[in-house]
Amino acid sequence: MSGIAFQGACVLRNRSLNRPILWRAACVLLLASPFCVKAQVSSPPPQDQSPTPSPQSPSQETKSVEVATHDNPATFKVRVNLVLVRVVVRDQQGKVVENLHREDFALADDRKPQVISFFNIETPASRAMPVTTVSGSSPAEAVSAAPASPLPSIPQRFVSVLYDDVHLSMEDSVTVRAATAKILGSIAATDRVGVFTSSGQTTQDFTSDRELLSRAMNGIVPRSLTGGFGGVAACPDISYYQADLIVNKSDQQALAVAAAETLDCAFAGDQTKTTMASSMASAAAVSALSNGDAESGYTYRHVEDAMRRLAAMPGQRVLVFVSPGFILSTLFTDASEIIDRATRSNIVIDTIDARGLYTPDVLGDIANPPGGSYRVQGPKTLYRTVAQSAQSEILEDFANGTGGAYFHNRNDLDEGFKQAVAAPPVSYVLGFSPQNLKLNGAFHTLKVTMAAKQKFNIQARKGYFAPKKVQDPAEAAKQEIQEAIFSQDEIRDLPVDLQTQFFKTDPTQAKLSVIAHLDLKSVHFRKAEGRNRNDVTLATAIFDENGNFVTGGEKIVEMRLLDGTLDRLGQRGINVKSSFDVKPGSYLVRLVVRDAEGEQMAARNGAVVIPY
């Protein structure tokens, strides 16, 4: 088969990914075969010399389309990915347990035991990526380097530390600042940490700069939306918890207590003012509930914002929520939605109770002592102590619902921060393929246990969502690729190798080339009218050293190969090259490959350092 004929049988299409960020790329296709290109990878041709398809007549194009869509159309099947579960195992003293094996774990999906078909042990060192550090002054001089020393500055783990300054007390904020100041030394070079607050007043995007992080953490102070701290108690002084009982639960006893307090503080116990006191108490309860709902809602919105930013990061994702907790009231749905969103985005939420080790505040705030006569002191003490216990439920729910850790009732908050922020020395990745999975979008509960029933603390995701029954094939494939792009998990359904090249066009600009080599031996082809057909999509994303998306692009290689050509290419495979204009710096390269016929995927990570 001639080179021109083969070029006509293998077509490249560029396509931008449908994301909020604009993807841009200047791309070149090289098929590593004497049938389609004469240049080798180590000496790539200039971009304008890339092979182009030979022209086809209208009748040939029509015939090709009919064969692809009519005679034997590809039927899209929802591809159920291997469900991966990252597990951290700690003993009763909080120390990470190492040297565990596949047979040490048991995994259940909706209480049904599953076969663990994938098992991997990960350490910070095992996730290190090969780096290309060889450059050239022209495309002809650019060479691919063999895997070099690990690049410590390329991010692998992203941690959002979200301080609930809306609900923090001044005392708690001082304790929290002291604890967080001690964790900066435990941040690894491959970790990126961002600092956010529920008030939205403090924002430090993901960085490894400890000075910037320290400055942001030292700025954490209480920022109540509805009033200050200390001072004269309100009349009546109704808490959010008591207001919830009065307004949402129609608790007449809680209303009577508020009315009695109002009668004492506003009318000096004048029993003739009972009706007026009851009306004032009801109005105060509505106001207290409104203020509490506003603060809780504000906190939820900023939790969502922090998760949205975190979900766009290419690696492991952890949200550390530092809060004294708060009452849920009617916001149960909001809490459930946050857990669902975190699960969909593979975000683990670790929670830290900012109060540390505490006892119920029976006597109330010493700076703002409770008012009212002995008739109301008993019930109000009960409301206060129950509320202090109930407000921690949201922290426990966030952690348990996403496979995180709930750190509470301890004064060594610095140890809690260390466990949450620092990457564990060892984690285990378990994988299984769900059997007879119903495509209904339902949530599936996952449970990881120790096969020998050891009393270890297991941190793992709590579930996953099944694919939906009705999906547009093109949209489903695109979503699958996009989710894989913003991960660092390697997928090996297809045999794909990743190489990078670069050369500097001037002191401030460089040309970065990403070369994917696909071995065709494991690729499924569909036979139609003497041709072996498959479309392969290759998506490339370039991220900077803080995990911010820089540039990227997507290509589709349409292969319509004769038998002889397929046999020859089966020995060599194909190379697909994409080129991007970047500035000097350190970059993470993420490559995702997906074929249409076999619906198999591959994902690879790489790193490149372009010196200034």
Side-chain angles (χ1 to χ4, degrees), residues 28 49 64 224 311 512 536:
V28 179
Q49 296 181 14
S64 177
S224 174
L512 172 62
V536 177

Side-chain angles (χ1 to χ4, degrees), residues 449-604:
T449 56
M450 305 306 299
K453 309 300 182 183
Q454 299 100 319
K455 292 183 179 181
F456 291 150
N457 295 320
I458 299 176
Q459 182 178 342
R461 64 187 292 190
K462 298 300 181 181
Y464 69 98
F465 289 88
K468 293 182 179 179
K469 186 175 296 184
V470 180
Q471 276 186 305
D472 175 72
E475 230 11 77
K478 185 183 297 184
Q479 180 180 354
E480 188 176 45
I481 291 172
Q482 289 174 357
E483 289 177 353
I485 276 286
F486 284 84
S487 170
Q488 282 189 4
D489 293 327
E490 295 214 342
I491 305 172
R492 301 182 180 275
D493 293 354
L494 293 171
V496 174
D497 292 325
L498 168 66
Q499 290 183 313
T500 56
Q501 301 174 339
F502 71 87
F503 68 93
K504 297 180 70 173
T505 56
D506 60 54
T508 62
Q509 293 291 328
K511 181 76 71 175
L512 172 62
S513 297
V514 179
I515 303 169
H517 177 78
L518 174 61
D519 189 337
L520 297 183
K521 294 187 182 71
S522 301
V523 177
H524 301 287
F525 287 87
R526 175 172 55 88
K527 198 64 171 288
E529 292 199 354
R531 301 271 181 168
N532 299 279
R533 298 172 174 266
N534 200 344
D535 294 342
V536 177
T537 301
L538 301 98
T540 306
I542 312 296
F543 300 90
D544 68 13
E545 61 183 7
N546 284 324
N548 299 306
F549 175 80
V550 176
T551 186
E554 185 179 275
K555 291 182 176 182
I556 300 177
V557 180
E558 298 177 346
M559 288 180 284
R560 311 290 185 260
L561 309 179
L562 296 174
D563 291 344
T565 306
L566 179 58
D567 290 341
R568 288 186 287 269
L569 285 181
Q571 303 300 317
R572 293 175 175 262
I574 62 172
N575 284 356
V576 181
K577 177 180 176 182
S578 303
S579 297
F580 307 93
D581 294 319
V582 297
K583 298 181 182 298
S586 300
Y587 297 99
L588 164 68
V589 179
R590 178 71 173 170
L591 172 69
V592 175
V593 181
R594 186 187 192 278
D595 83 307
E597 297 300 329
E599 296 175 347
Q600 300 180 97
M601 287 186 68
R604 295 289 184 274

